[in-house]
Amino acid sequence: MAAPADVGARAEQLRDELRHHGYRYYVLDDPEIGDDAYDALLDELRALEAEHPELQTPDSPTQRVGGPPVSNLAKVRHLAPMLSLANARSEEELRAWVARMRNHLAREGIEDPEFTYVCEPKIDGLAISLLYRDGVLERGATRGDGEVGEDVTHNLRTIPSIPLRIDGDDVPPLLEVRGEVYLSLPDFQALNERRAQAGQSTFMNPRNAAAGTIRQLDPKLAAQRPLSMWCYGVGVTEGLSFSRHSESLDWLRSHGFRVNDDVLTLRSEDEVVAQCLDWQDRRGSLDFEIDGVVVKVDDLELQRRLGTAGRDPRWAIAWKFPPTTAVTRLNEVLWNVGKFGDLHPFADLEPVRVGGVVVKLATLHNEEDLARKDVRPGDDVIVLRAGDVIPQVVSPAPHAVERKDRGPVPRPPVQCPVCGTPTVKPEGSVFTKCPNVLCPGRQWQLLKHFASQGAMDIEGLGEKQVAVLQEAGLVRTAADFYRLTPEQLTGLRGVGETSARRLVDAIQDSKDRPFGRVLFAIGLEEVGFVTGRTLAQRFRTIDALLDATPEQIRDTPGVGPIMAQRIHRQLADPQMRALIADLRAQGIRFEEQGPPPGEGPLSGKTLVLTGTLPDLTREQATERITRAGGRVTSSVSKRTDYVVAGDSPGASKVEKAERLAVPIVDEAGLLALLGDPGLR
Ligand code: IVH
């Protein structure tokens, strides 16, 4: 039965009011009514919709609580690629960017362009694209690799600052809004405290928390976490056009989207530099994390003429903040057991905020490093966090070394901290080691390495899951993963029936990883991803490799005599042989597929990769180069044909390439060498 007209009208009125108050609260941060009054309106609307379900609209504020879970995250292709950004780390680099733009435009016949710039905070969350059709939110997706992302609409709908509907008389038929979803610092802290109290693991930083939440299948979870979104641009549109980026931001702001009010339009490079430094100063007082400032050319016609270089637009740059440091107390030096039994020192610290993240643990690298730094328990120490890397202890604070009652010099433990076996220090090694090959600490490292991204890449099998499986006695070697059944997994700590089945599927799916990755995954000392591949190509089958002499192994590009001996010795080890036999019996691929290398546009060429490429991971780049007949090695020599340099390349590699006149190319250059027009 249709609802009476007055009930329908009341529902609509309530929706409008709730939308308005939600906007005041979540977008403008300027509420007009209190929480109780808001909740009363929401309760009334819920009651009406419960009684008359036909009144419920997809854009109703009641829909924010989260609908039914989805079964997987569907892949979606972006209508236009979501680009990344080149970095500037200093004033010189920022000015060099402007000079590059001027040169580029001059070649295009545009002399002396007048730039105005828009300076925006570079929010440290995750990039999201929202697609509105006729003003209604149709789909929201993560950036993914820039071309293809994941459909996370179910979770984005729960975020109160994201409009479910755009109002106004200039609503375009199609509009893509781009921005960054994030968790504020106070909300992040509160979330972690709640999790810690409930005995759950805590998130490393707000970005991980936001990314983890957005990729959940059940939107009820996202609805409980106070995510928000800053919008920073318009993507694809139909029926709307702007001539300046700043105009598009104004349009978004006036149509219910959350755009940062401190975004400024500036006229000169000097002003831009001053603004970047200003954000840098204010960074610590913001209630969300930023890791830099994005500077964009305002004029959209100039943007179009400037175009992109690889994945980076020429018309924008990210001013990156320098690494941040903090001083805190070193409580204790603890030791970690590595894949091959090597003991690594790390610091247990008094929790401290560094660059917006609370740090409790930091690496001390190795014994030599520890001795050189001379940090002692009880010292105040300087902790450094740069970008994504693990925080590290740099040195004692200057005042700490003057104390008379400093603690003892930390020494490597005489017994393995995990299994208690007396430790050894092999001659010539910088590491004290746990010699017990069955040490659960060592095994844990090996197992998680096996499942990790560059290796067998088993989704859902991270370090925690590996530990749970080990503790339950279900997994001792990597081959045991392939014998797991959903029944065995269901009921283990936090594992439901669906995720158990999904994990078993992911494990089974990993059986067809290329041979080179398998060689990397099984954990041979010194065999990284690249050597795994080259060994696979050279020997093509595991039998050929197992039968090879050290001299034959040495014949592999990039493998020296000592390394060849070590690989040979490890492959002869009965335990390694047993593992290989067991994995083979489980159906893991121990043979190279496809035609032998050497054919393709890069045949006979040797390339070195350095830095982070905007789009391809190192593994993907390596796979594509090898497929094209080329070879990837790790150090630059006169035999190197190209160095492919991404973001933050190794300075020594670049210098050596320059000295030896080896051409340096970026990702776009690599794609050109691969004969790839960039459209994948
Ligand atoms: S613009 C120009 N603006 O930074 C094309 N990106 O390194 C790039 N980000 O994936 C996007 N704040 O996740 C832009 N104000 C901002 C941003 C921003 C954060 C992120 C975004 C993007 C990454 C690029």
Side-chain angles (χ1 to χ4, degrees):
M1 196 183 73
D6 56 338
V7 178
R10 176 64 184 153
E12 193 169 336
Q13 186 189 11
L14 285 167
R15 277 197 297 269
D16 282 348
E17 280 185 36
L18 283 161
R19 225 174 265 133
H20 170 77
H21 291 302
Y23 170 72
R24 300 285 317 189
Y25 185 88
Y26 291 107
V27 178
L28 300 184
D29 200 8
D30 184 18
E32 282 170 353
I33 59 172
D35 291 359
D36 290 346
Y38 182 86
D39 289 344
L41 293 172
L42 191 61
D43 286 344
E44 189 185 339
L45 181 59
R46 275 205 195 110
L48 282 184
E49 287 181 349
E51 213 171 308
H52 308 282
E54 71 281 7
L55 290 178
Q56 204 179 72
T57 58
D59 60 357
S60 168
T62 57
Q63 297 307 295
R64 302 269 192 200
V65 290
V70 298
S71 57
N72 68 327
L73 299 182
K75 298 264 189 265
V76 288
R77 184 164 284 278
H78 297 298
L79 298 182
M82 291 184 78
L83 301 171
S84 52
L85 288 167
N87 293 330
R89 287 199 167 69
S90 62
E91 186 173 336
E92 288 69 47
E93 288 184 13
L94 193 103
R95 292 185 192 275
W97 164 64
V98 176
R100 280 200 303 279
M101 289 198 293
R102 289 193 188 284
N103 285 338
H104 187 90
L105 289 172
R107 285 198 295 276
E108 292 264 304
I110 304 175
E111 296 292 342
D112 258 340
E114 270 222 25
F115 289 130
T116 49
Y117 307 92
V118 180
C119 279
E120 304 170 3
K122 185 164 190 299
I123 304 114
D124 203 7
L126 78 157
I128 289 290
S129 145
L130 303 172
L131 204 62
Y132 290 85
R133 228 176 265 280
D134 297 321
V136 176
L137 175 63
E138 181 181 85
R139 187 189 83 187
T142 61
R143 175 176 185 272
D145 64 4
E147 303 278 347
V148 175
E150 285 175 323
D151 187 333
V152 288
T153 320
H154 58 297
N155 288 327
L156 293 171
R157 297 178 69 84
T158 69
I159 301 180
S161 54
I162 295 181
L164 299 176
R165 200 179 85 191
I166 310 172
D167 289 321
D169 43 21
D170 58 348
V171 175
L174 181 76
L175 171 70
E176 186 198 3
V177 178
R178 291 178 175 182
E180 200 86 351
V181 162
Y182 73 99
L183 199 60
S184 80
L185 286 164
D187 287 333
F188 164 70
Q189 257 152 16
L191 171 67
N192 261 357
E193 271 161 33
R194 276 203 308 278
R195 287 180 68 87
Q197 267 164 16
Q200 295 167 311
S201 62
T202 52
F203 289 107
M204 261 289 278
N205 53 43
R207 178 162 40 97
N208 288 354
T213 308
I214 279 296
R215 298 194 64 247
Q216 293 287 332
L217 299 176
D218 186 354
K220 299 261 175 340
L221 220 136
Q224 288 161 15
R225 299 205 183 139
L227 294 172
S228 189
M229 178 163 177
W230 285 119
C231 299
Y232 55 63
V234 160
V236 177
T237 56
E238 272 168 28
L240 251 193
S241 75
F242 303 105
S243 59
R244 301 192 157 267
H245 172 62
S246 52
E247 263 175 30
S248 67
L249 294 183
D250 290 340
W251 191 94
L252 289 175
R253 210 181 262 122
S254 62
H255 286 76
F257 292 90
R258 202 156 160 262
V259 178
N260 193 287
D261 274 331
D262 292 333
V263 168
L264 288 187
T265 306
L266 302 167
R267 304 214 152 265
S268 72
E269 283 166 57
D270 289 346
E271 285 173 308
V272 169
V273 172
Q275 182 60 19
C276 288
L277 294 172
D278 187 55
W279 276 111
Q280 200 161 303
D281 283 347
R282 285 196 296 146
R283 173 187 200 192
S285 59
L286 301 173
D287 79 348
F288 51 93
E289 252 204 86
I290 64 175
D291 59 353
V293 181
V294 184
V295 187
K296 299 173 182 171
V297 168
D298 196 21
D299 186 319
L300 296 180
E301 176 56 20
L302 285 181
Q303 283 195 3
R304 202 184 58 75
R305 299 293 288 262
L306 284 161
T308 59
R311 297 270 108 191
D312 302 336
R314 289 197 186 83
W315 45 265
I317 199 141
W319 165 285
K320 285 290 200 131
F321 295 147
T324 35
T325 56
V327 173
T328 190
R329 179 71 44 88
L330 171 64
N331 291 327
E332 209 182 338
V333 173
L334 300 169
W335 298 79
N336 223 334
V337 191
K339 289 207 277 293
F340 306 109
D342 32 322
L343 297 179
H344 298 262
F346 66 100
D348 173 61
L349 304 164
E350 244 344 87
V352 65
R353 286 194 79 77
V354 196
V357 171
V358 177
V359 172
K360 297 192 192 74
L361 301 173
T363 176
L364 280 158
H365 301 295
N366 56 43
E367 280 166 65
E368 279 176 8
D369 202 44
L370 175 65
R372 195 167 35 77
K373 286 173 179 164
D374 188 26
V375 286
R376 321 255 184 104
D379 281 355
D380 277 346
V381 294
I382 297 175
V383 182
L384 171 108
R385 178 176 166 258
D388 273 347
V389 301
I390 303 168
Q392 49 178 306
V393 174
V394 181
S395 67
H399 61 263
V401 288
E402 285 156 18
R403 271 191 338 169
K404 289 200 188 64
D405 56 342
R406 286 184 80 195
V409 175
R411 302 258 178 241
V414 290
Q415 284 185 325
C416 168
V418 178
C419 69
T421 307
T423 58
V424 294
K425 176 132 187 190
E427 205 165 325
S429 168
V430 290
F431 293 107
T432 298
K433 289 189 166 201
C434 166
N436 173 14
V437 276
L438 297 176
C439 166
R442 266 175 88 151
Q443 291 298 330
W444 177 65
Q445 300 279 3
L446 276 170
L447 291 169
K448 71 182 184 158
H449 163 75
F450 183 85
S452 70
Q453 233 179 20
M456 300 304 266
D457 195 7
I458 304 176
E459 200 173 320
L461 195 51
E463 52 182 58
K464 286 193 204 93
Q465 290 78 3
V466 170
V468 170
L469 293 172
Q470 270 187 300
E471 273 165 33
L474 290 173
V475 168
R476 207 177 47 86
T477 75
D480 294 331
F481 287 138
Y482 296 92
R483 285 186 275 268
L484 291 171
T485 63
E487 293 72 36
Q488 284 175 313
L489 299 181
T490 310
L492 286 183
R493 217 186 303 160
V495 183
E497 212 174 300
T498 320
S499 41
R501 197 159 315 119
R502 200 174 301 130
L503 182 55
V504 169
D505 287 348
I507 293 172
Q508 296 301 325
D509 280 353
S510 72
K511 282 184 176 170
D512 66 347
R513 297 285 180 261
F515 182 32
R517 287 234 225 164
V518 177
L519 284 177
F520 171 52
I522 57 176
L524 296 163
E525 216 165 340
E526 296 193 67
V527 175
F529 182 81
V530 172
T531 311
R533 267 217 82 92
T534 34
L535 284 171
Q537 282 165 356
R538 157 100 173 76
F539 293 96
R540 302 198 55 82
T541 69
I542 190 72
D543 289 326
L545 179 60
L546 292 175
D547 287 345
T549 62
E551 290 68 35
Q552 287 167 329
I553 296 178
R554 196 190 149 174
D555 217 16
T556 310
V559 177
I562 298 173
M563 198 165 148
Q565 286 284 357
R566 290 209 182 125
I567 295 173
H568 181 261
R569 200 187 53 223
Q570 293 175 76
L571 285 173
D573 182 88
Q575 264 173 338
M576 182 53 83
R577 295 243 162 178
L579 174 67
I580 291 172
D582 200 358
L583 285 170
R584 253 179 133 171
Q586 296 303 319
I588 312 306
R589 184 184 291 174
F590 275 95
E591 276 176 19
E592 187 72 337
Q593 301 279 303
E599 288 142 37
L602 285 179
S603 75
K605 301 283 184 224
T606 302
L607 289 83
V608 172
L609 299 171
T610 176
T612 316
L613 297 176
D615 196 30
L616 296 173
T617 64
R618 188 166 282 248
E619 289 75 26
Q620 286 166 335
T622 308
E623 269 182 31
R624 299 189 62 169
I625 291 167
T626 351
R627 253 193 282 137
R631 205 152 67 72
V632 176
T633 59
S634 50
S635 60
V636 181
S637 75
K638 52 180 190 303
R639 285 191 298 276
T640 309
D641 293 291
Y642 298 97
V643 168
V644 183
D647 197 11
S648 316
S652 63
K653 287 190 178 149
V654 172
E655 263 165 39
K656 196 152 177 204
E658 279 166 356
R659 189 151 37 81
L660 298 171
V662 175
I664 302 176
V665 298
D666 60 5
E667 186 181 84
L670 171 62
L671 292 179
L673 290 171
L674 291 165
D676 181 331
L679 302 169
R680 279 159 306 117

